[in-house]
Amino acid sequence: GVKGANTQRVVIATDDVNLSQISSAQTLTTTQLHNGTSISGSGGADTHSTLFTFTSNPKSITIFATDSSGAGSISGDQIAISPMVSMDNSTFFDLRTALAVGGGAINQMTISSMLRESIVVIENCRFKFLKVKITNNAGGAINFDSFVCF
């Protein structure tokens, strides 16, 4: 508007952030960890060798594991997903163990299971490094697919 006594005027400073340069697109990274990988039963564990290094804290991380045999021989509650986290890439801490010790009182992590799938969602991540441990609590070895999205 024209500057005057009865006209409101808004001035945008030229030293502010250039809003047109800020990307509005959200980038989702999905990585498959297991593709029909056999994991032994009765508590047999597999810590996947893929190491995720975060340069910034993701808003959330979703880890998904399922029986890929097609036979439906394992239920979701028999698949344990343990996010192994570290700040220094040398000592890894099991978030699932912390959840069990804390009586399930970690607000930033949700564990869910359904049919043949198990899902873990970690909100507001504050660690630099992630590995994933999948435990098969069924009787025999099962083939698994698993993914990490962030």
Side-chain angles (χ1 to χ4, degrees), residues 59-80:
K59 176 68 177 159
S60 71
I61 297 172
T62 300
I63 307 167
F64 172 84
T66 186
D67 166 8
S68 64
S69 68
S73 54
I74 186 170
S75 63
D77 60 356
Q78 292 176 304
I79 306 167

Side-chain angles (χ1 to χ4, degrees), residues 108-127:
Q108 287 78 20
M109 188 167 128
T110 304
I111 298 172
S112 179
S113 63
M114 58 190 150
L115 300 176
R116 294 183 301 138
E117 293 108 20
S118 184
I119 300 169
V120 169
V121 178
I122 308 165
E123 298 288 339
N124 302 315
C125 307
R126 299 286 185 248
F127 45 83

Side-chain angles (χ1 to χ4, degrees), residues 20-94:
S20 66
Q21 297 299 315
I22 298 174
S23 173
S24 62
Q26 297 293 321
T27 304
L28 178 64
T29 301
T30 302
T31 302
Q32 185 165 12
L33 298 178
H34 297 91
N35 184 2
T37 303
S38 181
I39 299 175
S40 62
S42 300
D46 175 59
T47 301
H48 200 274
S49 60
T50 299
L51 175 69
F52 296 93
T53 304
F54 302 106
T55 55
S56 62
N57 296 332
K59 176 68 177 159
S60 71
I61 297 172
T62 300
I63 307 167
F64 172 84
T66 186
D67 166 8
S68 64
S69 68
S73 54
I74 186 170
S75 63
D77 60 356
Q78 292 176 304
I79 306 167
I81 301 172
S82 297
M84 309 294 289
V85 299
S86 174
M87 290 303 289
D88 61 5
N89 195 19
S90 64
T91 304
F92 282 83
F93 178 71
D94 185 342

